[in-house]
Amino acid sequence: MIQRLLLIGCLLMALVVGVEAQTQRQVDSLLNICRPLAQTDIKTAEAKLLTFKQQYFGFPAELYIAQLYDAADRKGTEYRAEVAHAYDQMSMSLMSRGDMELYILSLFYSGRNDACVAKAREALTYYPQSLPLNRFFFRSLVSQGRYRESLTAYENLTHAQPAVLEHSDSVHYSVALTGWVRYLYQQGKFEEAAQWMEPFAQQRRQHGQMTDDVTMQLANIYIEWAKKLEGAEKEQMLLKADAILAQRIPETTMNDDLFAYMRVQMVQFQLDPEASKGTALPAILQMEEVFKKKADLDERHKERLVTGYRYLMSYYFIEKEDYALAAQYADKILLYEPNNDGALQVRDLYRKVKNKG
């Protein structure tokens, strides 16, 4: 009796193995048809795989569909949405590491950042050292504006294997850091903001990679911080901002006019609001030099020049009693504002003094 049961069991096992072998041959045959077909008619290839799934429960049609779309992706991002949609139908526990990485990449490049963050977080529980998983988890957090979380994710990315960072990783990190720093100083956490930004800016400058955005953020920290201080502490913060802007202005042509104006209006005029010390002179002359390099000065540039000239006119006329030099700046004002009352008065007074002499 026992021998008979063993014989029946062997026959059933052989039958199952035979069925599985036959099914595998059918799968191989189907894939041999669908893979080249996908290069010309991917929708038909997809339909064939889904039809086969209806006949054989458990057939991972979505897995093969995702792979077909990925293989047919001539532009690199053309079929990312289709790849991601195919993987959406599968449990991540059934995916290989390569499938998970392809899934997360496709979510990111199809613009599904919410899903990318959620699925990448899950995938990282399986493969915490995966470079692609860490990379697109980090980038999706940045795209969502979740800057503090993304900085932690970037730290994990630097320890992923293999530890090969791309230029875009650096760009995203800069966005994350400046976004987080902006949030800190807007919350009045100036010291913490500076602690984050100073070493980053120093590193960028050492490698010749200083950017206008980093310059702007670092200068703004000290400018905003100075508004909360008085006396020598306020002056110290403004001078830090001044040094940052003055150093960056000759290095850039993108925002040199903005930085030159910031240096005058937001730093030097705060250091000498009464135009009694004349300390804004170098910054105003630098702004004049930068503006005059522009092909055409618009009204905004002219107004800013007039603001600087008015400071110098007042300083030389009132503090230094150098009426000739004050009149020169009055004439510069009148080039842009012919009816400026202050400049007209200074010029007339200088003429009277000169005539008397």
Side-chain angles (χ1 to χ4, degrees):
M1 182 68 176
I2 294 175
Q3 290 179 337
R4 185 175 180 182
L5 289 173
L6 288 172
L7 179 60
I8 293 172
C10 290
L11 290 172
L12 289 173
M13 181 65 71
L15 180 62
V16 169
V17 171
V19 169
E20 288 180 347
Q22 181 180 2
T23 302
Q24 186 59 50
R25 285 194 294 271
Q26 290 177 300
V27 169
D28 293 341
S29 177
L30 177 63
L31 292 176
N32 287 336
I33 294 171
C34 289
R35 282 168 179 156
L37 176 61
Q39 299 301 315
T40 56
D41 188 356
I42 196 166
K43 291 297 182 183
T44 298
E46 179 181 5
K48 287 181 177 295
L49 289 168
L50 291 173
T51 299
F52 190 80
K53 180 180 179 179
Q54 293 174 353
Q55 298 171 1
Y56 294 93
F57 178 77
F59 173 65
E62 292 80 5
L63 175 65
Y64 294 117
I65 290 169
Q67 293 173 356
L68 288 182
Y69 274 108
D70 180 61
D73 203 343
R74 292 172 292 277
K75 296 181 181 179
T77 57
E78 184 177 10
Y79 291 129
R80 289 304 107 193
E82 287 80 0
V83 173
H85 177 71
Y87 280 123
D88 285 341
Q89 317 308 312
M90 296 178 60
S91 168
M92 195 167 284
S93 63
L94 301 177
M95 297 182 194
S96 67
R97 174 172 174 164
D99 289 317
M100 289 184 191
E101 293 172 346
L102 183 57
Y103 183 25
I104 302 309
L105 178 150
S106 299
L107 286 170
F108 178 79
Y109 282 114
S110 58
R112 294 173 57 190
N113 286 307
D114 287 346
C116 188
V117 167
K119 294 296 183 180
R121 197 187 302 276
E122 181 183 352
L124 284 167
T125 63
Y126 293 94
Y127 302 104
Q129 294 297 308
S130 165
L131 181 67
L133 295 179
N134 279 285
R135 169 168 288 142
F136 293 108
F137 179 55
F138 159 64
R139 293 186 186 179
S140 287
L141 286 169
V142 176
S143 298
Q144 289 183 317
R146 296 163 66 174
Y147 299 129
R148 184 62 188 91
E149 290 178 76
S150 66
L151 292 173
T152 301
Y154 180 79
E155 186 67 22
N156 292 333
L157 173 61
T158 63
H159 293 94
Q161 296 297 326
V164 180
L165 298 182
E166 299 176 350
H167 175 67
S168 186
D169 295 325
S170 177
V171 172
H172 278 78
Y173 178 74
S174 181
V175 171
L177 182 62
T178 54
W180 173 238
V181 166
R182 186 185 303 111
Y183 168 80
L184 287 172
Y185 74 67
Q186 287 174 348
Q187 298 299 309
K189 300 178 180 179
F190 303 109
E191 187 171 4
E192 187 177 352
Q195 287 172 351
W196 277 97
M197 184 56 79
E198 282 178 344
F200 178 67
Q202 184 178 6
Q203 182 185 50
R204 279 296 183 91
R205 184 166 292 285
Q206 287 175 347
H207 291 86
Q209 298 173 340
M210 192 65 169
T211 65
D212 290 354
D213 192 37
V214 173
T215 300
M216 178 72 78
Q217 293 299 329
L218 190 55
N220 273 332
I221 290 171
Y222 297 123
I223 290 170
E224 295 301 317
W225 197 348
K227 293 177 182 178
K228 306 295 182 181
L229 302 172
E230 298 293 340
E233 289 182 327
K234 178 175 183 176
E235 182 177 341
Q236 180 185 13
M237 292 305 162
L238 288 171
L239 288 175
K240 281 188 175 184
D242 187 69
I244 292 162
L245 294 168
Q247 186 173 16
R248 183 62 183 160
I249 290 166
E251 300 172 346
T252 180
T253 57
M254 181 71 71
N255 291 300
D256 56 345
D257 55 341
L258 173 60
F259 292 156
Y261 175 68
M262 284 179 63
R263 188 183 176 207
V264 172
Q265 183 69 37
M266 302 177 72
V267 178
Q268 290 298 333
F269 282 3
Q270 307 310 312
L271 287 167
D272 185 20
E274 303 298 325
S276 61
K277 303 174 184 176
T279 51
L281 174 61
I284 293 171
L285 294 179
Q286 186 183 46
M287 181 176 71
E288 181 183 51
E289 180 183 358
V290 168
F291 283 12
K292 290 193 172 181
K293 289 179 181 178
K294 305 298 178 184
D296 295 304
L297 289 179
D298 59 26
E299 291 304 314
R300 179 188 55 184
H301 289 111
K302 293 175 184 178
E303 289 174 4
R304 291 174 176 180
L305 280 173
V306 167
T307 300
Y309 294 149
R310 188 184 298 117
Y311 169 96
L312 294 176
M313 181 182 71
S314 299
Y315 170 69
Y316 284 113
F317 190 85
I318 297 172
E319 300 297 330
K320 304 297 287 184
E321 296 184 356
D322 188 335
Y323 304 125
L325 197 49
Q328 290 181 24
Y329 285 107
D331 288 338
K332 289 187 176 187
I333 292 172
L334 293 170
L335 287 174
Y336 302 118
E337 293 184 5
N339 298 316
N340 187 285
D341 289 338
L344 288 170
Q345 290 176 19
V346 167
R347 188 178 65 178
D348 290 342
L349 287 170
Y350 170 64
R351 286 176 177 173
K352 290 178 181 179
V353 171
K354 185 178 179 181
N355 290 335
K356 287 182 180 179

